[in-house]
Amino acid sequence: MKIVGTPREARKIIAGFREAGESIGFVPTMGDLHQGHLSLVNMALEKCDRAVVSIFVNPKQFGPKEDYGRYPRNEEKDHAILEKIGCDLLFVPTVKDLYSTSDRTRISVRNISEHLCGLSRSGHFDGVVLVVSKLFNIIAPDMAFFGQKDAQQAVVIQRMSADLNFPIRIFLGPIVRDENGLALSSRNRYLDISEKKRAASLYKSLSEAFNMLTMGERNPDKICKRTKSIIENAGLEVEYVEIVNGKTMEAVDEVSGTIMIAVAAKLGGVRLIDNIAARIENDLVEEVLLEFPEWSGYE
Ligand code: AMP
């Protein structure tokens, strides 16, 4: 595995892959890698000739009161894991490699960014799409892989990529969870063992919501109320529980088609998110990954 820091070095290696006629799969991350990240790298390795991973803790997607300074950084371990799994190129730029102090360009994906996490994390998705568009420009992959764990982020990125005509296919990978159902996240490091068990109430609440759907409940308020009470009973502070349209991220009045039940809650100051997406057709309820059928910017 090659490790490079500057865009110039990354482009040079990528050009070599291209000359050899190889396809490129890309997984952007903020590091402190866990099985959730690695499942995406494995998808990239399965679908493409070369897998490229970036590790960059992007200051522009953190609010002033958020955890940018203490976000877990674990470079040596990450390098070893990626080497072992067969990653071809690791791109680890510094803030100065990606941002100039004189830059003035901003990108905003309207509407989709304004729901769910966008409400409490003002500017967060603008920071995400800015860095991902830079990374897409530098790496120029054929395919990019994101986790359903951050489903709204993936939908926002897909929209940005299509709107800006990046010729990149976006794929989603399923949420990887621990033995209690807690979605793996670098931020789980902030929790002790007993907090982790309580945090698993997020998944329990989502499973209960999904059960209600399979039992025929279609009223979003009833489902959200029950979901919220399960999380609150575990002592977490709920930020939102919503059932949203899988494409627009807007809250639905009636549960049908492809929807996502999304939750965000805080435990001891640590913000956690989780979701389950489902397709509902008449009586049939099926757990799904969000899909991106429109490739308007792809060809
Ligand atoms: P992060 O390093 O948190 O920015 O995440 C990098 C990528 O890994 C994003 O596309 C995330 O959605 C994905 N990811 C993070 N946690 C998980 C998980 N538990 N399961 C699947 N994908 C994940």
Side-chain angles (χ1 to χ4, degrees):
M1 179 177 74
K2 295 208 165 63
I3 304 177
V4 297
T6 64
R8 184 195 293 265
E9 290 168 302
R11 285 189 208 274
K12 204 171 154 200
I13 292 168
I14 300 280
F17 296 160
R18 290 289 178 206
E19 265 165 42
E22 292 166 333
S23 61
I24 295 165
F26 176 45
V27 183
T29 80
M30 297 206 298
D32 192 29
L33 303 177
H34 51 65
Q35 284 304 324
H37 298 112
L38 299 185
S39 67
L40 298 176
V41 183
N42 278 326
M43 275 178 86
L45 285 164
E46 273 164 31
K47 286 189 185 288
C48 297
D49 300 315
R50 299 285 186 174
V52 178
V53 174
S54 65
I55 296 180
F56 180 64
V57 184
N58 175 32
K60 298 230 190 266
Q61 69 187 69
F62 288 79
K65 290 185 185 148
E66 293 183 359
D67 56 345
Y68 176 68
R70 70 170 185 141
Y71 193 85
R73 289 159 171 89
N74 230 322
E75 278 170 37
E76 275 175 28
K77 190 168 153 243
D78 288 349
H79 296 184
I81 293 173
L82 288 171
E83 176 90 59
K84 197 166 164 215
I85 199 176
C87 170
D88 295 285
L89 172 62
L90 172 60
F91 180 46
V92 278
T94 62
V95 173
K96 278 193 182 149
D97 286 321
L98 289 192
Y99 294 111
S100 116
T101 49
S102 57
D103 70 10
R104 288 291 173 267
T105 304
R106 295 290 176 266
I107 310 171
S108 245
V109 177
R110 293 160 65 185
N111 301 333
I112 310 170
S113 299
E114 287 148 24
H115 306 287
L116 302 176
C117 293
L119 287 174
S120 66
R121 303 190 74 188
S122 169
H124 167 69
F125 289 115
D126 293 359
V128 169
V129 288
L130 186 62
V131 80
V132 172
S133 60
K134 282 168 178 278
L135 294 168
F136 278 8
N137 253 324
I138 296 163
I139 307 297
D142 300 278
M143 302 180 196
F145 300 84
F146 295 88
Q148 166 84 25
K149 159 90 187 345
D150 302 278
Q152 184 181 15
Q153 167 176 283
V155 174
V156 168
I157 288 169
Q158 195 277 333
R159 192 70 257 159
M160 175 280 290
S161 181
D163 289 354
L164 297 183
N165 294 84
F166 281 106
I168 299 169
R169 292 192 67 173
I170 312 284
F171 289 89
L172 276 194
I175 301 177
V176 179
R177 302 177 178 283
D178 76 6
E179 62 281 6
N180 296 315
L182 174 64
L184 299 188
S185 162
S186 307
R187 290 196 169 95
N188 294 352
R189 274 191 195 282
Y190 302 145
L191 305 173
D192 63 29
I193 292 174
S194 82
E195 285 173 325
K196 276 190 187 159
K197 282 192 183 145
R198 281 162 63 204
S201 63
L202 291 186
Y203 183 59
K204 285 196 193 87
S205 76
L206 289 168
S207 304
E208 172 65 14
F210 186 81
N211 277 343
M212 287 174 83
L213 286 175
T214 57
M215 303 290 279
E217 182 58 66
R218 295 289 181 268
N219 179 328
D221 292 339
K222 277 193 187 160
I223 298 171
C224 289
K225 208 172 156 198
R226 174 95 186 103
T227 310
K228 194 171 171 214
S229 75
I230 294 173
I231 303 170
E232 285 176 344
N233 285 343
L236 281 75
E237 187 190 327
V238 172
E239 181 184 305
Y240 63 71
V241 173
E242 277 195 60
I243 302 188
V244 298
N245 175 300
K247 279 187 188 160
T248 64
M249 301 287 114
E250 269 170 324
V252 296
D253 295 329
E254 201 193 294
V255 185
S256 67
T258 302
I259 56 97
M260 175 169 81
I261 314 161
V263 300
K266 274 193 175 161
L267 176 56
V270 181
R271 189 174 179 279
L272 302 163
I273 58 170
D274 202 347
N275 69 77
I276 287 186
R279 190 182 301 121
I280 294 128
E281 268 173 25
N282 303 321
D283 290 343
L284 209 72
V285 179
E286 187 193 3
E287 187 175 348
V288 293
L289 291 177
L290 291 183
E291 280 177 17
F292 306 123
E294 302 154 32
W295 299 109
S296 50
Y298 175 60
E299 292 299 337

